[in-house]
Amino acid sequence: MPNHVIHKQPPKDNKSTAVTKEDVARAAGVSHITVSRVINTPDKVAPTTRKKVESFIAKMGYIPNLLAGGLASKRTRIIAAIVPTIGHSIFAETIRGLSEQLASQGYQLLLGQSNYSETEETALIEAFIGRRVDGIVLTGTQHTARARQRLKAAAIPVVETWDLSDKPIDMLVGFSNYDAGFAMGEHLKQQGYRHIAFVGGEDPRGVARLAGLTAALKKSRIKTPVHIAVQLGTFLQRGRQSMIEILDNHPQTDAVFFSNDVLAAGALMECQKRKRRVPEDIALCGFADLEIAREITPAITTVKIDSFHIGHTAAQMLLATLNNRPVPEVICDLGFTVIPRQST
Amino acid sequence: MPNHVIHKQPPKDNKSTAVTKEDVARAAGVSHITVSRVINTPDKVAPTTRKKVESFIAKMGYIPNLLAGGLASKRTRIIAAIVPTIGHSIFAETIRGLSEQLASQGYQLLLGQSNYSETEETALIEAFIGRRVDGIVLTGTQHTARARQRLKAAAIPVVETWDLSDKPIDMLVGFSNYDAGFAMGEHLKQQGYRHIAFVGGEDPRGVARLAGLTAALKKSRIKTPVHIAVQLGTFLQRGRQSMIEILDNHPQTDAVFFSNDVLAAGALMECQKRKRRVPEDIALCGFADLEIAREITPAITTVKIDSFHIGHTAAQMLLATLNNRPVPEVICDLGFTVIPRQST
DNA sequence: GTGAAAGCGCTAACAC
DNA sequence: GTGTTAGCGCTTTCAC
């Protein structure tokens, strides 16, 4: 049993055994610059030389030190992205779109999680700038003054996402959360609902959706929605809890707009448990068009947004900029669609 | 409207405006090494000097170049982790456990996604080694020979997770997927089920769970479970589809073990749609103890594992090793618990 | 097509 | 406490 054993590889074996460009060059009988060229610009090396060097690279298990390369060339081929939370499905598709597009060009993604905190976001931005990432993707348009200033000073391309703004830091791809909330308000009105509640967090995008919803209702002189604030955390449970609160404290409510589909699904589960019929007794709708909204019964009305495309476009903008190509649209509005389903 | 505008910051303004350690040192009237010490070992600098330097750092917006630092010191304070997929909840908690523990020590997490492919995993490992990460966390114990060899040559600490193995590459934290499958088999038997199906992917951990389940059934001379292989992808839908297949093609089935709770939830939704009672007509159980298993009605029997703790422990092992502290247990079995709920 | 020299911004080791 | 010197492993520029 190999327990209680001191780890045998001292991490600081300073005379590191790592194979270097020099080693390969020496073995292959060329200068180190040739090895460099074989890796970066193979066309500029004679085929014979290239073959020989390549075989030594493989044989010796040489892995170029990207730290040194980045330091010398001032390009790391790393793009950083900051999302409020990884591991909840909302932003997963954006990350996927981002990383797929970046990988296709040999870039890697450094991922950070801000926990919906502007301060944490700022700290991450500083750390990423310290690592000399080639570009940064941010969620939302709200950032600390310090973050904006750092980003400006670093002079690297930035893409803000998941919202719209007149004056982005640099580039922007998203949709109007306000308009999306407004559109859902119109949908609910048109379906005849008059006592509407909104369940969502304090994050800027949720706030914008609520503002849009409120405006739509006000337009028709329907009273301002009841606002149930949810803590961050496990969404199904939060959705359930807010549903309990609505049923208990706001029994006249006939429709609830949730800031995401998982919250709505949790609420639906609570309704089913309490034998409230959806949508007959109370209507529910969500946001983002996640899988659960489609698959649960009754299927949940939602606002479809193209999360994957946001990531994809952000990556394209960055790559264009990094290759000195013009970016056709510095502000890119991807829009949204209300998807009526059985739950309303 | 600022559309159709060429991006105005050429990314390659080579005479970079970035503030350097030298600049700060010059402004503060000290040598650059003093600036370095203010950042890395503030105690070794006279308070007066420190205050002065710090104020200049803040004033000039100096951000240390971690690339250069890493190159010189041979420590990047980056830990890489590779999971089969980000954005599905299964590994999310492990990532959270990892990044929380790492952040507390000033380390950052570089995240990679292998898409359940050993080849992609190997490519990521090579890229990460090229970036000179200080340590690597891997999912599972199955890796290409090339990956093992690279890892060995790089001589960095490695933690494998989410499974058990006699001879890990280096360190290991997980639980026995085989035993977990076996335990669920025992539970199903004890509940009186005799016609059991298994739904899961081709990944090594799913295969191990199936093997354990099969062994438990064989022990009591119950026939080998029907195995429905699921493609990767959107789990609710896959769960639903496999349920359809089971109901249509294997109608005698009285219990189904799903390789994760989301699959089981999808199957449950299909049962409800078809008015099959769970567990009376057919029993379902899942794996991982995700939120959805707890919240859906009926609640789904599952195998609880401590995903967060896996990440947390992996980080601790790595940090201990990097600080030349002994690691108490090089192989750490966190175990699991079968949680019986209404669905069986 | 290939090589030599210089330097990216930092830290380690040793001096003062 | 603080400074000096010498690289870390690579890319860039320019020469051959």
Side-chain angles (χ1 to χ4, degrees):
Chain A
M1 224 28 187
N3 283 0
H4 298 281
V5 158
I6 292 187
H7 192 260
K8 51 294 162 194
Q9 297 157 344
K12 307 197 78 179
D13 50 344
N14 260 337
K15 269 273 87 33
S16 93
T17 52
V19 181
T20 156
K21 214 168 222 72
E22 304 283 359
D23 299 332
V24 178
R26 210 173 304 124
V30 297
S31 100
H32 69 152
I33 190 67
T34 304
V35 180
S36 196
R37 277 199 267 260
V38 168
I39 291 167
N40 298 319
T41 51
D43 331 318
K44 299 189 171 178
V45 177
T48 343
T49 325
R50 196 178 65 213
K51 291 267 162 49
K52 189 172 59 180
V53 173
E54 274 168 351
S55 85
F56 275 99
I57 288 178
K59 191 182 305 169
M60 304 175 71
Y62 169 61
I63 298 186
N65 185 334
L66 267 24
L67 242 41
L71 180 59
S73 69
K74 296 187 177 307
R75 328 176 74 242
T76 52
R77 295 191 157 266
I78 295 184
I79 299 295
I82 303 177
V83 292
T85 165
I86 16 185
H88 273 305
S89 16
I90 323 280
F91 300 105
E93 284 296 290
T94 300
I95 295 172
R96 204 166 62 79
L98 208 47
S99 86
E100 271 189 18
Q101 185 67 16
L102 291 176
S104 75
Q105 306 265 345
Y107 279 74
Q108 276 182 271
L109 184 64
L110 187 55
L111 202 57
Q113 171 169 358
S114 71
N115 294 313
Y116 289 94
S117 148
E118 285 183 32
T119 319
E120 286 189 49
E121 187 193 60
T122 307
L124 281 170
I125 288 172
E126 294 185 344
F128 290 154
I129 291 176
R131 306 251 180 233
R132 297 302 186 262
V133 298
D134 289 343
I136 297 195
V137 178
L138 262 24
T139 307
T141 55
Q142 209 132 14
H143 318 284
T144 64
R146 181 184 177 116
R148 287 170 184 280
Q149 173 207 317
R150 294 295 207 191
L151 255 7
K152 199 136 294 177
I156 55 176
V158 175
V159 184
E160 291 167 279
T161 62
W162 273 80
D163 211 342
L164 249 35
S165 151
D166 293 340
K167 31 183 180 10
I169 297 177
D170 185 8
M171 295 177 281
L172 178 67
V173 48
F175 57 87
S176 168
N177 285 284
Y178 180 94
D179 289 354
F182 193 95
M184 188 56 95
E186 291 291 316
H187 168 79
L188 292 174
K189 269 169 20 188
Q190 184 203 314
Q191 297 291 105
Y193 301 108
R194 290 298 176 267
H195 298 275
I196 294 166
F198 177 85
V199 175
E202 238 76 285
D203 72 284
R205 292 165 296 290
V207 170
R209 285 167 213 154
L210 172 56
L213 172 68
T214 308
L217 302 186
K218 180 172 267 175
K219 209 184 76 181
S220 306
R221 302 224 175 78
I222 298 178
K223 82 169 182 306
T224 298
V226 170
H227 178 198
I228 311 287
V230 289
Q231 315 293 332
L232 304 167
T234 49
F235 283 136
L236 286 175
Q237 197 192 15
R238 301 297 187 195
R240 207 179 259 277
Q241 285 171 337
S242 39
M243 198 67 228
I244 293 173
E245 187 175 343
I246 289 168
L247 294 175
D248 288 356
N249 302 339
H250 308 278
Q252 77 286 18
T253 304
D254 56 11
V256 189
F257 179 19
F258 292 84
S259 203
N260 77 57
D261 289 335
V262 185
L263 285 171
L268 176 53
M269 290 174 185
E270 185 62 28
C271 288
Q272 290 173 337
K273 194 171 180 181
R274 298 191 171 206
K275 309 266 185 259
R276 306 293 175 111
R277 291 165 310 161
V278 175
E280 293 82 357
D281 298 335
I282 190 160
L284 306 179
C285 58
F287 192 91
D289 192 26
L290 302 179
E291 193 193 10
I292 198 167
R294 275 196 301 279
E295 297 292 339
I296 208 167
T297 311
I300 298 174
T301 296
T302 193
V303 179
K304 180 186 176 65
I305 48 161
D306 199 339
S307 181
F308 179 86
H309 200 192
I310 289 178
H312 194 265
T313 306
Q316 283 183 320
M317 286 173 156
L318 249 20
L319 292 171
T321 305
L322 291 170
N323 294 320
N324 288 315
R325 290 201 314 268
V327 174
E329 293 185 300
V330 172
I331 296 182
C332 178
D333 182 353
L334 257 29
F336 58 84
T337 323
V338 173
I339 313 253
R341 295 201 179 110
Q342 307 149 32
S343 74
T344 55
Chain B
M1 222 27 186
N3 282 0
H4 299 281
V5 159
I6 292 188
H7 192 260
K8 53 287 162 192
Q9 296 157 344
K12 307 198 77 177
D13 50 343
N14 261 338
K15 269 273 88 29
S16 93
T17 52
V19 181
T20 156
K21 215 167 221 74
E22 304 283 359
D23 299 333
V24 177
R26 209 174 304 124
V30 296
S31 100
H32 67 156
I33 192 67
T34 304
V35 180
S36 195
R37 278 199 265 260
V38 168
I39 291 166
N40 299 319
T41 51
D43 329 319
K44 298 189 171 179
V45 177
T48 342
T49 325
R50 196 178 64 213
K51 291 268 162 48
K52 190 172 60 183
V53 172
E54 275 167 351
S55 85
F56 275 98
I57 288 178
K59 192 182 305 170
M60 304 175 71
Y62 168 62
I63 299 186
N65 184 332
L66 268 24
L67 242 42
L71 180 59
S73 68
K74 298 188 175 306
R75 330 176 72 242
T76 52
R77 294 192 159 266
I78 295 184
I79 299 294
I82 303 178
V83 291
T85 165
I86 17 184
H88 273 305
S89 18
I90 324 279
F91 300 106
E93 284 297 289
T94 300
I95 295 171
R96 203 167 62 79
L98 209 47
S99 86
E100 270 189 18
Q101 186 66 15
L102 291 176
S104 76
Q105 307 266 344
Y107 279 73
Q108 274 181 272
L109 184 64
L110 186 56
L111 202 57
Q113 170 168 1
S114 71
N115 293 313
Y116 290 94
S117 148
E118 286 183 31
T119 319
E120 286 189 50
E121 186 192 60
T122 306
L124 282 169
I125 287 172
E126 294 184 344
F128 291 155
I129 291 176
R131 306 248 179 236
R132 297 302 186 264
V133 298
D134 288 344
I136 297 196
V137 178
L138 262 25
T139 306
T141 55
Q142 210 133 14
H143 318 285
T144 64
R146 182 184 177 116
R148 287 171 183 280
Q149 172 208 318
R150 294 294 207 192
L151 253 8
K152 200 135 293 177
I156 55 175
V158 175
V159 183
E160 293 167 276
T161 62
W162 273 81
D163 211 342
L164 249 34
S165 151
D166 293 341
K167 32 182 180 10
I169 298 177
D170 185 8
M171 295 177 282
L172 177 67
V173 48
F175 56 88
S176 168
N177 285 284
Y178 180 93
D179 290 353
F182 193 95
M184 188 56 95
E186 292 290 316
H187 168 79
L188 293 175
K189 269 167 25 187
Q190 182 202 315
Q191 297 293 104
Y193 300 109
R194 291 296 177 266
H195 297 275
I196 294 166
F198 177 85
V199 175
E202 238 77 286
D203 72 284
R205 292 165 296 290
V207 170
R209 284 167 215 154
L210 171 57
L213 172 68
T214 307
L217 301 187
K218 181 171 266 175
K219 209 184 79 182
S220 306
R221 302 226 174 77
I222 298 178
K223 80 169 183 304
T224 298
V226 170
H227 178 199
I228 310 288
V230 288
Q231 315 293 332
L232 304 168
T234 49
F235 284 136
L236 286 175
Q237 197 191 15
R238 300 298 187 192
R240 207 179 259 278
Q241 286 171 337
S242 38
M243 198 67 227
I244 293 173
E245 188 175 340
I246 289 168
L247 293 175
D248 288 356
N249 302 339
H250 308 279
Q252 76 286 18
T253 304
D254 56 10
V256 190
F257 179 19
F258 292 85
S259 202
N260 77 57
D261 289 334
V262 186
L263 285 170
L268 176 53
M269 290 174 185
E270 184 62 28
C271 288
Q272 290 172 338
K273 193 171 181 182
R274 298 192 171 207
K275 309 267 185 255
R276 306 293 177 111
R277 292 165 309 162
V278 175
E280 294 81 357
D281 298 335
I282 190 160
L284 306 179
C285 58
F287 192 91
D289 192 26
L290 302 178
E291 193 193 10
I292 198 167
R294 275 195 302 281
E295 297 292 338
I296 208 167
T297 310
I300 297 174
T301 296
T302 192
V303 179
K304 180 186 176 64
I305 47 161
D306 199 338
S307 181
F308 179 86
H309 202 193
I310 290 178
H312 194 265
T313 306
Q316 283 184 318
M317 287 174 156
L318 248 22
L319 292 170
T321 305
L322 291 169
N323 293 319
N324 288 314
R325 289 200 316 268
V327 174
E329 293 185 300
V330 172
I331 297 183
C332 179
D333 182 353
L334 257 28
F336 59 84
T337 323
V338 173
I339 313 253
R341 293 199 180 112
Q342 306 149 33
S343 74
T344 55

